[in-house]
Amino acid sequence: MPASMFKPSLRIALVGDFNPAVIAHQAIPQALDNAALEIGVRADYDWLPTPEVNSPEDLVGYDAIWCVPASPYQHDEGAFIAIRYARENGIPFLGTCGGFQYSIVEYARNVMGWKDAGHAETESEGRLVIVPLVCSLVEKSDVINLAPGSKIAAAYGREEIEEGYRCSYGISEQFAEAPGQQPLAATGWDNQGAIRAVELTDHPFFVGTLFQHERNALKGRPAPLVEAMLRAARE
């Protein structure tokens, strides 16, 4: 077979506790397959249950890491290890819904020095950087305004999108007001100014969204951030 017929192969770690009843988990393989076809690569993915992620060595060899929805996770530390490994080693990373929330906690603890940062779904003490939303976003869609020049805006090719959610927790005001000049930047907001997406400005591709755009694959629509993650992994 001519060399030109071979497609680059990418290894993707899907960090989270697979549940066939979770709609996002049903959609993720299709979103990856569609994105891989679109950009001309082969995406081989492994579901890594959080109890099986016990050290950075468990992530070695993966070209990208996706911390998937459906939290709380069975083993929170497994999710935090994966997020930190991707952040510190320049590994393309996507965190959606629960993955977004846990990436905020990880950043607060290990970059901002808020060692007591926590998630209100599983903790009641400390600086809760993820708290219940004023209005639940379970099975709801909403408009998100994207920062000009951001990676997420580039992926979508526009600065206003509408996506669906299945979540009841988001970023606290305390955290939203704190990062300032930190590399972690808010790059997506709803019409009321609540943060719905973040990215690291000093990382090849590290994006977190509260919404679950991967579910578009079940409706025959593209998942732009999955394509962008694979493009970053290919490079």
Side-chain angles (χ1 to χ4, degrees), residues 22-130:
V22 173
I23 295 175
H25 291 187
Q26 298 170 21
I28 284 170
Q30 189 168 335
L32 282 167
D33 289 344
N34 293 350
L37 181 64
E38 180 67 23
I39 70 170
V41 300
R42 189 176 78 245
D44 298 323
Y45 56 85
D46 296 323
W47 286 94
L48 299 184
T50 54
E52 295 183 9
V53 181
N54 295 295
S55 75
E57 285 71 25
D58 295 322
L59 286 309
V60 172
Y62 287 102
D63 300 297
I65 296 171
W66 186 347
C67 196
V68 304
S71 61
Y73 301 113
Q74 294 178 20
H75 179 54
D76 283 357
E77 189 58 28
F80 290 134
I81 288 171
I83 294 165
R84 184 171 187 172
Y85 177 79
R87 179 177 58 77
E88 293 184 339
N89 292 278
I91 306 298
F93 172 84
L94 181 61
T96 53
C97 198
F100 163 87
Q101 296 163 7
Y102 276 62
S103 68
I104 297 299
V105 177
E106 190 280 326
Y107 190 89
R109 289 178 179 177
N110 297 319
V111 179
M112 297 172 64
W114 294 9
K115 299 303 182 183
D116 60 343
H119 192 310
E121 189 174 24
T122 56
E123 297 168 272
S124 58
E125 298 180 353
R127 276 185 276 201
L128 301 179
V129 296
I130 299 296

Side-chain angles (χ1 to χ4, degrees), residues 173-194:
E173 289 188 14
Q174 182 184 23
F175 182 86
E177 296 171 355
Q181 299 302 310
Q182 294 275 353
L184 186 72
T187 51
W189 305 262
D190 69 6
N191 284 335
Q192 288 71 49

